Amino acid sequence: MAVPLFTNTRQHEAIKEEIFAAIGRVFGHGQFILGQEVESFEKSFAKYLGAKEAIGVSSGSDALALILQALNLCPDDAVITTPFTFFATASSILRIGSTPIFLDIDSKTLNLSYDKCFQFLKSCRRNKSGQPIDERTKKTIRAVILVHLFGLAAGAERFRKLCDKYNLYLIEDVAQAVGTKDIYRGGLKYCGTFGVAGAFSFFPTKNLGGAGDGGLITTNNENLAIRLKALRDHGQKRRYLFEELGLNARLDAIQAAILNVKLKYLDLYNSKRRYVAALYRSLFKKFGLNKKIRLPYAPKITELHSYHQFVVRTAVRDELQKFLSENEIGTAIYYPLPLHLQPAFSHLGYKQGDFPESERASKEVLALPMFPELREEEVEEVVSKIARFFKVRRR
Ligand SMILES: *Cc1c(COP(=O)(O)O)cnc(C)c1O
């Protein structure tokens, strides 16, 4: 049985009447960019998350770049982030002229290591206003971009406290973790509400996927929201009055209308992902594979993970991927080359060996089929094929 890594057709089949009605409504009024559809989606999204403001934009990548620009990050500034993430997390920093500073990940969670961040900041010289200076680049560190990778909460409250101590902005990259909660004062609240702003993506494969590119920024700061609304639209605050340079980074009305339909089902979709993850775990155990395959970190509180991806680790990753591909099981490698070794970032001066945990992860990770509509027999097929692989290999 062939099992796809991802498909959204099953999801859309179930709600296509609602989606087509929403698209029809947009054709009825003919306002295709921003307007009432986007405002209505921004309102529902802010309400869902418990954020004061939501600003719809063209993509998650633009969301990050707009946040950095709105915070007045400049070429003398640096931003700490993880090298084990999608390219856009770090390219957004370079796009606005600042410099990324990579720190290694926690091998258990694959998220940015709090301890490494803590130690690094402690070791930095500080300027007159108390801001840390990066010794290597001589740049002033102004922010941390915390990525909730694969849908797993990265411990935003701790990072927020650390950032406050060093007068840094905490920016959350929530592209893979829409609907994930993180620990807050002994309770929980949604990722994307911990820092000064959160960047979301509605790329079709994300947990809340549109029918094209789309993104959104959350913030509790009203002035920042006003600035961001101008910046996503060429920097105009009033029509044809341009106070500064912005981008053309607006959200389309059709995307907003579709996303507004799908937002209602997001919690259901995420709970189905958690069910699939739990099924994987019990089957890996049943097949006695837990010694051969390292499963993704399982937080005790289920809301802390929304399983954007189900990523396992093994030293024989490439062999296993080949075997699964021959058996028509879709897999993918997120990410095969950590960002500090990407050609586009070579001028930053990093080298092999700088971030051993990220480098090791990039050689061992394998994403297995994961989406809310994945069927039980498909999960069983994936795990039994993996069991078969290890059996054949031993011979
Ligand atoms: C997808 C993604 C982005 C970029 O979002 P786009 O909407 O594709 O521009 C940024 N960061 C992470 C971690 C992502 O997974």
Side-chain angles (χ1 to χ4, degrees):
M1 183 195 340
V3 185
L5 175 67
F6 173 81
T7 172
N8 51 27
T9 51
R10 296 178 196 174
Q11 183 166 97
H12 292 151
E13 186 58 33
I15 54 169
K16 69 177 176 208
E17 270 83 31
E18 258 187 294
I19 285 181
F20 291 166
I23 295 171
R25 191 177 65 232
V26 177
F27 272 84
H29 60 61
Q31 181 164 25
F32 287 109
I33 292 172
L34 296 178
Q36 66 199 43
E37 302 290 345
V38 172
E39 279 168 34
S40 155
F41 174 60
E42 288 171 340
K43 245 190 214 134
S44 4
F45 197 87
K47 187 163 170 233
Y48 169 81
L49 228 68
K52 269 209 190 102
E53 308 276 348
I55 301 102
V57 296
S58 46
S59 70
S61 307
D62 285 337
L64 287 165
L66 286 167
I67 292 167
L68 295 169
Q69 189 183 347
L71 294 173
N72 299 316
L73 274 268
C74 65
D76 289 333
D77 297 334
V79 180
I80 291 173
T81 196
T82 162
F84 196 65
T85 175
F86 180 59
F87 181 71
T89 308
S91 67
S92 66
I93 301 166
L94 285 156
R95 267 175 68 195
I96 59 118
S98 298
T99 302
I101 293 177
F102 295 120
L103 294 177
D104 211 353
I105 53 170
D106 176 341
S107 66
K108 201 173 70 177
T109 63
L110 302 178
N111 280 322
L112 180 65
S113 160
Y114 175 83
D115 294 339
K116 299 237 168 66
C117 220
F118 181 92
Q119 291 303 336
F120 175 77
L121 286 168
K122 211 170 101 177
S123 75
C124 286
R125 182 168 58 85
R126 293 167 83 168
N127 68 13
K128 283 189 208 88
S129 25
Q131 291 166 316
I133 308 290
D134 175 44
E135 204 41 53
R136 204 173 59 90
T137 59
K138 310 291 175 216
K139 309 271 184 193
T140 310
I141 301 168
R142 300 272 320 278
V144 173
I145 300 184
L146 185 63
V147 183
H148 303 283
L149 195 73
F150 303 145
L152 174 64
E157 187 178 41
R158 282 208 301 175
F159 275 98
R160 177 61 198 258
K161 284 182 183 154
L162 187 63
C163 284
D164 286 349
K165 187 169 152 197
Y166 287 93
N167 198 11
L168 308 176
Y169 293 118
L170 176 67
I171 299 159
E172 293 176 82
D173 181 339
V174 208
Q176 302 188 0
V178 59
T180 299
K181 288 179 178 171
D182 206 340
I183 290 173
Y184 180 66
R185 295 187 174 163
L188 295 170
K189 68 171 184 164
Y190 279 107
C191 294
T193 60
F194 285 82
V196 63
F200 291 83
S201 166
F202 308 122
F203 186 81
T205 60
K206 301 284 159 87
N207 285 26
L208 180 61
D213 277 310
L216 182 139
I217 299 165
T218 48
T219 179
N220 287 331
N221 181 325
E222 267 168 68
N223 288 327
L224 192 67
I226 292 169
R227 179 105 185 273
L228 285 163
K229 281 184 182 171
L231 285 174
R232 75 174 165 185
D233 195 15
H234 297 290
Q236 57 184 328
K237 260 195 185 146
R238 275 190 286 126
R239 204 153 192 190
Y240 299 124
L241 179 71
F242 302 93
E243 290 180 357
E244 60 177 325
L245 295 185
L247 297 174
N248 176 354
R250 300 164 300 218
L251 182 62
D252 287 340
I254 285 186
Q255 294 308 333
I258 294 169
L259 290 164
N260 226 349
V261 169
K262 293 184 70 174
L263 180 61
K264 289 185 296 191
Y265 302 106
L266 177 61
D267 284 343
L268 175 67
Y269 295 154
N270 280 343
S271 68
K272 287 183 170 184
R273 285 175 184 271
R274 289 180 192 119
Y275 177 77
V276 170
L279 188 58
Y280 267 125
R281 289 184 195 285
S282 72
L283 288 169
F284 275 114
K285 199 169 167 195
K286 191 176 129 192
F287 279 86
L289 289 167
N290 284 4
K291 288 237 161 63
K292 306 218 156 54
I293 288 264
R294 187 160 157 197
L295 298 183
Y297 176 71
K300 284 196 193 76
I301 303 164
T302 53
E303 288 102 318
L304 298 183
H305 209 326
S306 57
Y307 294 98
H308 172 56
Q309 301 293 349
F310 192 84
V311 174
V312 300
R313 293 179 69 163
T314 164
V316 289
R317 190 265 316 272
D318 292 340
E319 267 179 77
L320 175 61
Q321 185 179 39
K322 185 163 165 278
F323 180 87
L324 291 176
S325 145
E326 285 160 4
N327 284 278
E328 297 183 287
I329 292 180
T331 60
I333 297 168
Y334 309 116
Y335 295 92
L337 189 64
L339 297 187
H340 67 287
L341 302 176
Q342 291 289 346
F345 298 147
S346 61
H347 64 286
L348 298 174
Y350 290 106
K351 58 183 188 317
Q352 188 90 37
D354 282 345
F355 305 112
E357 294 301 347
S358 301
E359 291 167 24
R360 196 168 309 139
S362 71
K363 293 190 179 79
E364 295 182 356
V365 288
L366 188 66
L368 301 181
M370 169 54 83
F371 51 95
E373 300 75 21
L374 194 64
R375 301 177 185 121
E376 288 186 9
E377 62 268 27
E378 292 175 319
V379 180
E380 277 164 24
E381 174 76 5
V382 175
V383 181
S384 68
K385 283 281 147 59
I386 293 175
R388 172 111 204 107
F389 167 78
F390 282 106
K391 215 172 189 174
V392 172
R393 209 175 161 268
R394 226 182 23 215
R395 269 197 234 127

